[in-house]
Amino acid sequence: MSLLGLFFVFVIIFLTTIFALKIRGMLWQPVVSSPQVRIFGYYSHILTRLKYRRNIQTEFQQSEWIKVRGWLAVAAEWAVIILWALWLGRNFLLNNTTQWLPVDWQLNVQSYFAWERLSQCGACVFWDGSFNGGAPLFTNLLAPMAHPFVILLLLLAGVINGSKLLAVSALILAGLAQWYWGKVLRLSFIPRVWGACLAVVGGYLVGRFEGGLVEVAFSTASFSLVVAASLHLAETGKRRVAVGLGVLAGLAFLSGQGYLQLGFLLGVCPALLILLLDKNFKFRPVWREFAWAAGVAILISAVLWIPFFHIYSQISKPTGIEPGDVQAMGYQPLNLVINDYPFYQSEYLGKPPWPGMTVNYIGWIPVLLALISWRLIPRSKLRIVAFFWLSIILIYGLSSAVTIRWLINLIPASEAILSMARFPSLISGMAVPFILALAAWGLDLILNLKWPKLTLNLSAGRTFNVNLTWLTVLLLIWSVRDVYNFVSPWLEVWTVPEDAKFYDIASQIKPEGVQWVEPPYGDWGFHIAFLDNDIKLTNAYNHWTWRDRTPPPSFIRVTRDDVDTSDPHYSRRIEYVNVLSFPDNYYAYVEVDGTKIPCEATAAGGNIDVTCQTDAPGQLMVMENSWSGWNVRLDGRRVSLIESPWLSTKAPAGEHVYKFRYRPWDMPLGAVLSLLGVGLAIWLWNNEPKKRKKKSKGGRK
């Protein structure tokens, strides 16, 4: 077992022990005349014994048993959900850096390597110098680069294993979120746990792993938890629930995948008005608590959105939604009940041929239960039902690009942002938790009906009664197993072939000093191995590029293609790749009268040190993208940068040391605002308003 695994085992044992001691202290209280030692307001039997060195007379607290029994029931339900998720994700728990997920996981994991520099040089992590000339750290919305839990996983388990643990975390989070839905709706044990277990294994979540879209699954689960908390706040109006909603929403907006943020803002938030307005279309008092929650969420997520919007104008990426990239709204619900893998690889029903984008399979049973619930749910709960169905409709409208095209035509200025959502089908998974909640609700109402009993006459006049509701339980277990059988292939990992030798080639290709290396284009195995060996990549595919800029030229180029060995740039062949060398493409040099004089350089994120020696003055060029936040010191003295796409400054004659540092204003400002959001959440938690006393019709008594 890995060190991280032992750490988690220790944490679980510690928390279990504390929980057991807390329950023991609650149930067995000393008599009034006996001494007491309390921790956090709870009596500690063991510490009392240790302090006073004698037996303490105690008595059982019947009133506390009701609380403890409720906690134990919740703990048991959580244990079922978490163990189910851990079993499903068992292949992702192995500590093995040669076992990967497919496609997009291999692409997104490349961004995470930047966090390895946090322990090396602290603030240098603000600049990711790994790709195409470097960029600020928080420019990739497709990966949860600023999510504290994700950062913790990466630091504790490493980039590759930590990002696989993120997939397991998505399963656990989705299950607990769906359980929360059931708790808010006051469902009984069976519907609550069944809905959660189905949410864990649902195609809308596990199906994303087919394309390695771990971040989509994690973000979908995060926003499912936010919607459950929104429903809870609308039902109770409690300040502490509002605080929890604000924190969860802030973390959800840090969870990566701008598609899901867009889905929540345009698909769920408009439907929330149903819960905020009364029958006279006036805002209910609970709107104030939602406002507090929104404020907390905006502040907590500021660490991401302030740096992003600062650099937004410099971002260039493919835009526009092609007809084959989305599926018509009328066809999308069919993905809930189709379990044919070749179908998802085709373009039938007008969908893209990439299963990871459209698989939402949960089977016919929950879909039918969701439809049946419409007739069973009492009229007093129609507001919630309307919220559910309107959210489902808006989400499907958004994922089919109907809403996006309508907004672009209505507000042309929105095209700059909305046109980046090229694959809105990823948003469709947000509708599944609503459907599962309706299904669990319908199941709860069905189980509460008067079911007939099957009576069996045994010998000696004995009878055996069987409640037919247990047949329903067997059907529910089958429904979960049916979904598992379909999605199980996507819970496997891909083992890197030994003959790939990505790391062997990377160790041989790594240049002395700092230089830009061009890997085989789109070959993620080389990308991961090179980045893991701290090699800077250029002309490498990324989700976005700098506007009106080109990547720095490569010092070394690696290709699988055949090359002419007589080419003066041909260097050597390593295993099955060819290596070309371009010795004049230095990372750092001083240009003197058109001549390049190379300099020695070290680089770690936003810390770049360059040592140059020239006989004449010139201009120092460092092939790293220039952006606001960079500064340079010449022999310890602050000097000015020259306006250029690359880091550049005047270089006097002689031997000098230049220290370039990226210390932006946007990330520290965002971090401060996020801390203010945490402080606001704590203040609101401790200042819950007192309930207002209702006045009687005859005046105060």
Side-chain angles (χ1 to χ4, degrees):
M1 183 180 291
S2 65
L3 182 62
L4 181 65
L6 291 174
F7 171 76
F8 280 125
V9 170
F10 171 78
V11 170
I12 292 173
I13 293 175
F14 175 76
L15 293 177
T16 303
T17 304
I18 294 297
F19 186 65
L21 291 176
K22 181 176 180 179
I23 292 177
R24 176 67 174 82
M26 290 177 62
L27 293 181
W28 296 94
Q29 291 285 345
V31 297
V32 178
S33 59
S34 299
Q36 301 182 27
V37 175
R38 290 180 171 267
I39 300 179
F40 301 114
Y42 293 101
Y43 165 69
S44 174
H45 180 75
I46 294 178
L47 293 181
T48 302
R49 287 279 302 273
L50 292 175
K51 180 177 181 180
Y52 294 101
R53 304 293 181 180
R54 63 176 183 270
N55 291 330
I56 305 298
Q57 185 179 0
T58 59
E59 57 184 9
F60 183 74
Q61 302 294 309
Q62 186 67 38
S63 60
E64 294 292 337
W65 169 243
I66 299 176
K67 297 180 182 178
V68 172
R69 186 173 58 186
W71 291 355
L72 290 176
V74 170
E77 293 179 25
W78 280 33
V80 171
I81 297 167
I82 293 173
L83 290 175
W84 170 238
L86 290 175
W87 186 81
L88 287 177
R90 59 193 181 279
N91 292 324
F92 305 144
L93 297 174
L94 300 177
N95 185 20
N96 192 331
T97 57
T98 63
Q99 292 182 329
W100 298 353
L101 273 73
V103 198
D104 276 72
W105 177 87
Q106 299 173 24
L107 176 60
N108 290 336
V109 77
Q110 300 173 46
S111 302
Y112 298 142
F113 282 99
W115 278 111
E116 291 188 336
R117 301 186 186 91
L118 182 64
S119 59
Q120 302 173 5
C121 50
C124 77
V125 76
F126 292 158
W127 181 265
D128 182 5
S130 304
F131 268 95
N132 299 335
L137 182 64
F138 297 151
T139 53
N140 183 7
L141 288 185
L142 298 182
M145 296 295 295
H147 197 290
F149 176 73
V150 177
I151 296 171
L152 182 64
L153 284 181
L154 299 176
L155 295 179
L156 290 177
V159 170
I160 294 177
N161 289 318
S163 58
K164 288 188 294 185
L165 289 178
L166 183 62
V168 182
S169 303
L171 300 179
I172 295 175
L173 187 61
L176 296 180
Q178 202 66 43
W179 177 90
Y180 189 10
W181 287 69
K183 197 70 175 177
V184 173
L185 295 173
R186 297 182 178 87
L187 307 183
S188 56
F189 165 75
I190 292 177
R192 198 162 57 226
V193 174
W194 170 75
C197 290
L198 198 53
V200 172
V201 75
Y204 78 105
L205 201 70
V206 178
R208 300 297 176 258
F209 297 163
E210 185 275 340
L213 297 169
V214 173
E215 292 77 14
V216 175
F218 182 67
S219 189
T220 302
S222 298
F223 278 106
S224 176
L225 193 59
V226 172
V227 177
S230 301
L231 184 61
H232 191 189
L233 178 58
E235 288 288 283
T236 63
K238 293 182 178 180
R239 173 63 56 82
R240 290 190 173 183
V241 178
V243 173
L245 171 60
V247 173
L248 293 174
L251 292 175
F253 276 97
L254 297 178
S255 64
Q257 283 302 330
Y259 289 104
L260 281 303
Q261 283 88 336
L262 187 65
F264 179 75
L265 291 174
L266 299 181
V268 177
C269 287
L272 276 173
L273 289 175
I274 294 177
L275 301 179
L276 296 181
L277 299 175
D278 60 20
K279 60 182 180 180
N280 296 319
F281 298 100
K282 294 183 179 180
F283 279 102
R284 299 166 55 210
V286 74
W287 76 266
R288 298 183 180 87
E289 303 306 324
F290 273 94
W292 281 119
V296 171
I298 292 172
L299 287 174
I300 286 180
S301 58
V303 68
L304 174 65
W305 58 261
I306 285 186
F308 175 76
F309 282 110
H310 178 210
I311 199 174
Y312 169 73
S313 62
Q314 302 297 314
I315 291 178
S316 176
K317 63 174 297 183
T319 59
I321 302 173
E322 300 296 332
D325 293 340
V326 293
Q327 187 177 20
M329 184 176 176
Y331 294 143
Q332 290 196 12
L334 295 175
N335 298 330
L336 298 169
V337 295
I338 296 177
N339 59 356
D340 181 40
Y341 182 64
F343 164 79
Y344 290 104
Q345 291 179 304
S346 70
E347 296 183 0
Y348 294 142
L349 301 183
K351 60 172 185 52
W354 306 298
M357 290 190 176
T358 54
V359 171
N360 290 321
Y361 182 71
I362 55 176
W364 276 106
I365 291 178
V367 172
L368 292 176
L369 286 172
L371 295 174
I372 292 172
S373 67
W374 178 265
R375 297 297 303 270
L376 298 177
I377 295 174
R379 293 181 59 85
S380 59
K381 300 295 183 181
L382 287 182
R383 181 190 297 270
I384 297 176
V385 176
F387 164 62
F388 282 8
W389 283 108
L390 180 58
S391 297
I392 293 170
I393 293 171
L394 290 176
I395 289 170
Y396 278 141
L398 193 62
S399 62
S400 61
V402 173
T403 307
I404 293 176
R405 293 188 177 110
W406 178 78
L407 285 174
I408 290 176
N409 292 331
L410 181 66
I411 311 173
S414 65
E415 183 176 5
I417 294 179
L418 295 180
S419 61
M420 290 186 179
R422 298 175 58 211
F423 304 107
S425 296
L426 294 172
I427 302 173
S428 63
M430 291 190 73
V432 178
F434 288 94
I435 297 171
L436 291 178
L438 287 169
W441 200 352
L443 173 64
D444 185 73
L445 294 171
I446 290 175
L447 293 178
N448 288 329
L449 298 176
K450 292 183 178 180
W451 280 71
K453 293 183 178 180
L454 179 64
T455 302
L456 301 176
N457 294 321
L458 304 178
S459 60
R462 291 180 301 171
T463 60
F464 181 71
N465 295 322
V466 179
N467 194 324
L468 293 182
T469 55
W470 289 106
L471 297 178
T472 304
V473 174
L474 295 177
L475 192 62
L476 298 178
I477 295 174
W478 177 86
S479 69
V480 175
R481 180 175 177 79
D482 172 60
V483 179
Y484 169 73
N485 289 337
F486 177 61
V487 304
S488 57
W490 305 322
L491 292 167
E492 303 292 335
V493 290
W494 173 69
T495 301
V496 180
E498 292 185 4
D499 58 358
K501 298 185 177 181
F502 296 134
Y503 281 87
D504 291 341
I505 296 174
S507 62
Q508 297 181 58
I509 212 71
K510 186 175 182 179
E512 295 183 4
V514 182
Q515 302 293 350
W516 289 105
V517 176
E518 181 178 345
Y521 188 80
D523 199 327
W524 313 134
F526 281 108
H527 288 208
I528 294 173
F530 284 11
L531 291 171
D532 209 6
N533 277 270
D534 201 24
I535 297 175
K536 297 167 75 73
L537 306 184
T538 186
N539 294 316
Y541 177 81
N542 200 5
H543 291 297
W544 69 280
T545 59
W546 285 83
R547 190 181 300 277
D548 300 326
R549 297 197 193 190
T550 58
S554 56
F555 186 79
I556 295 174
R557 181 188 170 205
V558 183
T559 178
R560 288 176 177 264
D561 299 334
D562 294 331
V563 298
D564 185 358
T565 56
S566 62
D567 188 326
H569 296 296
Y570 178 78
S571 174
R572 52 180 169 155
R573 183 175 179 85
I574 303 177
E575 300 295 341
Y576 54 89
V577 298
N578 291 308
V579 181
L580 290 84
S581 177
F582 301 87
D584 294 335
N585 293 338
Y586 307 113
Y587 175 74
Y589 61 90
V590 175
E591 186 172 2
V592 179
D593 297 330
T595 302
K596 295 181 180 180
I597 302 175
C599 302
E600 296 182 0
T602 60
N607 288 2
I608 302 175
D609 296 339
V610 180
T611 301
C612 300
Q613 184 173 5
T614 60
D615 296 329
Q619 180 175 332
L620 171 62
M621 299 290 293
V622 179
M623 306 307 288
E624 196 90 19
N625 286 316
S626 180
W627 178 241
S628 63
W630 279 105
N631 64 77
V632 59
R633 290 183 178 274
L634 169 60
D635 298 331
R637 177 173 53 87
R638 184 75 173 263
V639 294
S640 300
L641 289 167
I642 296 175
E643 186 174 350
S644 168
W646 311 110
L647 294 179
S648 179
T649 188
K650 293 181 179 179
E655 183 175 354
H656 301 281
V657 177
Y658 305 82
K659 293 183 178 293
F660 294 86
R661 295 294 182 266
Y662 180 70
R663 299 297 183 265
W665 59 266
D666 49 14
M667 290 188 183
L669 175 60
V672 169
L673 290 178
S674 293
L675 290 176
L676 287 177
V678 174
L680 176 61
I682 295 173
W683 181 82
L684 291 171
W685 183 273
N686 294 321
N687 290 273
E688 186 167 4
K690 296 181 180 180
K691 293 183 179 179
R692 297 179 180 179
K693 295 182 179 180
K694 295 182 179 180
K695 296 181 180 180
S696 62
K697 293 182 179 180
R700 293 189 178 182
K701 293 184 179 180

